[in-house]
Amino acid sequence: MPSLASFQLTPPQDSREFEQMLREYCNSMFPGMACLFARPGQKQYGVDVISPGPNGIVAIQCKDYQDACISTAMIDEWIQSAEEFKPQIDHFVIAIGGKTDGKIQKHVLGIDQFRRNNGLFSVEVLFWEEISMFLKMNPQILSRYYPFI
């Protein structure tokens, strides 16, 4: 019998539900009061989830792109949009509902190192594999989005 760890969760088809999952991730990983930022149709400055916590402001850009090819130019554009957010972000997470991509990971690692060395907000990228693992390690959150498991 397969274990939960080996069970493949499918990303949500609803982008708002994906954002809600990432709000839960943010509340768990970055203590604070994470909330969805703005409502659909309002200017979001590249931010879907925001959490003003004790270690500064954490912002998450949620891209429920399951089959789309993500480019480094898209990553750069999302980071540039987050630069417009005020007050200043301290840590920026790009959450992607698609498969892990080493080229994108390497690009973001380089950007993050440059930004940290220059006093700018840090950046990380999460793909569905990491998001899915987070959900599996948190049974209460998992049951909210996948009650049949």
Side-chain angles (χ1 to χ4, degrees), residues 23 26-28 30-37 49-54 56 58:
R23 180 195 64 217
C26 192
N27 272 328
S28 180
F30 306 100
M33 293 299 296
C35 63
L36 299 181
F37 182 74
V49 176
I50 192 80
S51 180
V58 175

Side-chain angles (χ1 to χ4, degrees), residues 44-47 61 76-85:
Q44 292 183 294
Y45 308 95
V47 172
Q61 173 60 262
D76 296 341
E77 182 181 314
W78 297 332
I79 294 169
Q80 186 175 11
S81 291
E83 288 281 357
E84 296 178 30
F85 191 88

Side-chain angles (χ1 to χ4, degrees), residues 28-147:
S28 180
M29 301 303 286
F30 306 100
M33 293 299 296
C35 63
L36 299 181
F37 182 74
R39 66 178 180 270
Q42 289 185 319
K43 186 161 176 68
Q44 292 183 294
Y45 308 95
V47 172
D48 294 309
V49 176
I50 192 80
S51 180
N55 295 321
I57 296 175
V58 175
I60 302 178
Q61 173 60 262
C62 303
K63 295 296 183 184
D64 192 14
Y65 294 178
Q66 298 170 32
D67 297 320
C69 188
I70 306 296
S71 69
T72 57
M74 293 166 82
I75 296 290
D76 296 341
E77 182 181 314
W78 297 332
I79 294 169
Q80 186 175 11
S81 291
E83 288 281 357
E84 296 178 30
F85 191 88
K86 300 293 179 227
Q88 183 179 340
I89 295 167
D90 294 289
H91 184 66
F92 186 58
V93 179
I94 300 169
I96 301 171
K99 294 180 181 177
T100 302
D101 183 322
K103 179 179 177 184
I104 297 298
Q105 287 173 310
K106 187 175 178 183
H107 182 70
V108 171
L109 285 169
I111 290 171
D112 179 59
Q113 185 174 41
F114 173 83
R115 295 183 66 81
R116 286 177 188 260
N117 291 341
N118 289 283
L120 303 169
F121 64 72
S122 56
V123 181
E124 72 175 296
V125 64
L126 285 176
F127 288 93
W128 181 248
E129 187 175 349
E130 291 87 23
I131 298 164
S132 174
M133 189 55 67
F134 164 78
L135 293 169
K136 292 177 205 176
M137 292 170 47
N138 293 276
Q140 287 184 314
I141 298 171
L142 178 68
S143 68
R144 275 195 283 279
Y145 297 99
Y146 298 90

